[in-house]
């Protein structure tokens, strides 16, 4: 009797939880928001690493955030999101192996930067930030349309 009650409860809960099938336009808007957040952290970290602002105590926040976001980038470009108001080039979908490798390179660079920041060695932080910046630029050159 308890199993039937449990099963019925699970079935009822499944009916109560809405199922969300995201529209491609919403996926694109979400992707843009996430990538803008990544760029914002990158810009803030750049100012700290280059000594332009004295917020070194916040560098860990930016490094950790970029590391977390980098881990999601590969999921932000599903097959049905290759149209409309997006800066993603067709090469994201026409060269999937190259795109995945570029994302992996960025994920590795973000992880290295995060580790360097945690370690506190200024030279390591600067070197890993350059590597991260270069991985962003490389991906953008191949897979993102520049704004005018």
């Amino acid at each position: 009797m308890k199993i039937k009650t449990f099963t019925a409860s699970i079935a009822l809960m499944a009916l109560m939880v809405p199922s969300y099938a995201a529209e491609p336009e919403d996926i694109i808007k979400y992707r843009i928001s996430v990538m803008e957040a990544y760029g914002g952290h990158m810009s803030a970290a750049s100012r700290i690493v280059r000594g332009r602002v004295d917020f070194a105590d916040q560098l860990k926040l930016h490094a950790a955030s970029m590391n977390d976001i980098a881990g999601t980038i590969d999921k932000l470009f599903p097959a049905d999101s290759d149209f409309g108001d997006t800066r993603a080039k067709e090469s994201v979908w026409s060269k999937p192996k190259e795109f995945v490798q570029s994302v992996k390179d960025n994920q590795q660079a973000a992880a290295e930067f995060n580790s360097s920041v945690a370690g506190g060695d200024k030279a390591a932080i600067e070197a890993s930030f350059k590597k991260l910046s270069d991985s962003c630029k490389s991906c953008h050159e191949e897979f993102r349309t520049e704004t005018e």
Side-chain angles (χ1 to χ4, degrees):
M1 190 67 165
K2 288 183 181 180
I3 293 176
K4 287 182 181 179
T5 303
F6 177 74
T7 304
S9 296
I10 295 297
L12 181 60
M13 287 172 49
L15 292 174
M16 293 171 57
V17 176
S19 173
Y20 296 104
E23 293 294 324
E25 293 88 355
D26 290 326
I27 292 170
I28 293 166
K29 288 177 184 177
Y30 179 78
R31 174 174 66 225
I32 290 168
S33 295
V34 171
M35 297 307 288
E36 286 175 349
Y38 194 30
H41 286 292
M42 189 74 181
S43 179
S46 174
R47 285 171 173 70
I48 295 168
V49 170
R50 293 164 49 203
R52 301 247 171 116
V53 296
D54 188 25
F55 293 106
D57 61 323
Q58 295 182 16
L59 189 57
K60 286 182 181 180
L61 171 133
H62 298 297
S65 295
M66 287 187 291
N67 187 46
D68 290 344
I69 293 170
T72 70
I73 292 173
D74 55 338
K75 297 168 186 69
L76 300 176
F77 296 85
D80 61 348
S81 68
D82 59 346
F83 67 92
D85 187 19
T86 179
R87 292 174 64 190
K89 290 182 179 178
E90 177 57 34
S91 56
V92 168
W93 296 276
S94 66
K95 297 180 178 180
K97 289 181 184 177
E98 293 87 345
F99 179 67
V100 167
Q101 185 58 55
S102 187
V103 170
K104 286 181 181 179
D105 292 346
N106 183 262
Q107 290 169 337
Q108 181 180 354
E112 288 175 16
F113 179 61
N114 192 37
S115 293
S116 295
V117 169
D121 179 84
K122 185 176 180 178
I125 291 169
E126 290 173 354
S128 63
F129 186 78
K130 172 135 178 41
K131 183 177 178 180
L132 177 58
S133 179
D134 289 347
S135 76
C136 290
K137 288 176 187 174
S138 174
C139 189
H140 289 180
E141 286 173 3
E142 181 69 28
F143 300 107
R144 184 183 82 165
T145 302
E146 294 301 318
T147 58
E148 297 176 21

